Amino acid sequence: MQEALKEWLVLDKENMKFHMGQYDNPYRSTVKFSEFLKGKNVRRGNCRILDLGCGAGAVLGYLLASDKRFLWGYGIDINQNLVDIGNKILQERGIYNCKLVEGDFFHIDKSVFGKIDGVVSLQTFNILPDYTEIVRCMCELNPEWMGFSMLGFEGLIDYKIKLFDYTKDKGNGCSEVFYNIYSLPRMKEFFACMGYSKFEYAEFVIDVDLPRTNRMGRGTYTVKTEQGKRIQISGGMMMPWYFVYVEK
């Protein structure tokens, strides 16, 4: 996974805006993901969730505030600066049932978090070279359920996509990042092999217009079809987002 580390560790103005922006204005993907989980039979009570790739914790904070089934939340991210910033903001906003930890979610120290009931992860699967390793790490935590967002395809094709963003200079002339799209049926089979047989998904159909603000690089915007459906695009690539819920 070393290929993805450079992108994750960079904390420039654009990345800070992405992570900080939704503390005051939650992204529609976050709001809709929370609604998606509310429709699932997640056990009430002492429900502890872990967010893999939590960034500055805005998504985790929103989930804890909007869904009272979740009593405690942990987040893990490899970027120490984002973790420190996020913990400070969460405390300032009175979200005390949440803690962010710096670490590699491919090598999780289970003693740090204790028993985890549910695992969430947003916009992380697609930027990895492959999803099988993160799925194994999630399953090793033995949660009752998992929920995540991903770029998906309802057929039997995986798309391995690596883009080179020449609007960014990270010391090698460009920023390299994966935008992989994964077959949902094949992923369902993989989870079943890991002991999680319930696999449900829903397309994330955004309900607001996003303007195109960067014509030379990345940045999600929407276009409408003749039927009125909004399609999300980043740069020159369509972004077929899905929410997934997995259970034993």
Side-chain angles (χ1 to χ4, degrees):
M1 299 300 171
Q2 294 297 317
E3 294 175 87
L5 281 178
K6 185 176 292 187
E7 180 76 8
W8 301 344
L9 291 171
V10 168
L11 198 57
D12 58 17
K13 182 178 179 180
E14 185 177 334
N15 286 345
M16 280 295 293
K17 181 180 178 181
F18 173 82
H19 288 288
M20 297 296 108
Q22 66 169 327
Y23 263 113
D24 293 317
N25 296 293
Y27 301 143
R28 295 306 293 166
S29 56
T30 300
V31 174
K32 291 296 184 180
F33 180 71
S34 178
E35 293 175 0
F36 174 75
L37 286 184
K38 287 178 181 178
K40 306 305 175 186
N41 188 30
V42 174
R43 179 177 63 84
R44 293 183 180 275
N46 188 25
C47 191
R48 297 157 60 93
I49 60 175
L50 173 63
D51 183 0
L52 301 185
C54 64
V59 170
L60 185 57
Y62 183 89
L63 292 177
L64 292 171
S66 61
D67 194 332
K68 299 308 179 184
R69 296 175 299 178
F70 306 145
L71 298 186
W72 186 265
Y74 285 105
I76 183 170
D77 197 275
I78 200 168
N79 193 310
Q80 181 71 67
N81 290 328
L82 283 176
V83 166
D84 292 341
I85 293 169
N87 277 324
K88 184 174 185 293
I89 294 175
L90 291 165
Q91 289 292 308
E92 291 173 347
R93 292 176 178 244
I95 304 176
Y96 302 117
N97 58 336
C98 182
K99 181 180 180 180
L100 311 184
V101 177
E102 184 274 331
D104 181 353
F105 54 63
F106 295 114
H107 302 90
I108 295 176
D109 182 353
K110 298 178 185 178
S111 66
V112 173
F113 306 109
K115 169 62 176 151
I116 294 297
D117 301 297
V119 176
V120 299
S121 187
L122 269 69
Q123 301 180 19
T124 300
F125 274 54
N126 58 285
I127 62 174
L128 300 173
D130 182 73
Y131 68 82
T132 56
E133 187 173 347
I134 188 174
V135 169
R136 288 193 181 95
C137 293
M138 294 166 78
C139 293
E140 285 177 0
L141 294 169
N142 195 32
E144 295 181 10
W145 59 271
M146 292 172 267
F148 53 91
S149 65
M150 59 173 281
L151 297 174
F153 177 56
E154 296 187 26
L156 295 174
I157 302 176
D158 284 334
Y159 296 83
K160 296 298 183 75
I161 302 168
K162 187 175 184 180
L163 64 85
F164 300 83
D165 188 346
Y166 294 99
T167 68
K168 294 177 176 289
D169 183 359
K170 298 296 186 294
N172 63 347
C174 65
S175 175
E176 302 177 18
V177 63
F178 295 94
Y179 267 24
N180 293 334
I181 303 173
Y182 295 117
S183 165
L184 288 155
R186 284 178 52 81
M187 184 177 285
K188 178 180 180 179
E189 291 179 359
F190 187 76
F191 269 102
C193 292
M194 300 297 292
Y196 288 82
S197 58
K198 185 174 183 178
F199 186 97
E200 300 176 350
Y201 60 84
E203 184 182 7
F204 167 41
V205 181
I206 195 168
D207 56 356
V208 296
D209 295 319
L210 301 178
R212 186 172 187 177
T213 58
N214 183 2
R215 292 188 173 275
M216 297 301 292
R218 285 181 280 167
T220 300
Y221 63 96
T222 57
V223 296
K224 275 188 178 180
T225 67
E226 292 182 356
Q227 293 74 31
K229 178 181 177 180
R230 295 176 180 86
I231 297 175
Q232 296 186 70
I233 300 174
S234 177
M237 178 180 167
M238 188 172 71
M239 307 290 279
W241 286 107
Y242 283 80
F243 299 141
V244 179
Y245 177 79
V246 182
E247 220 179 65
K248 288 185 176 179

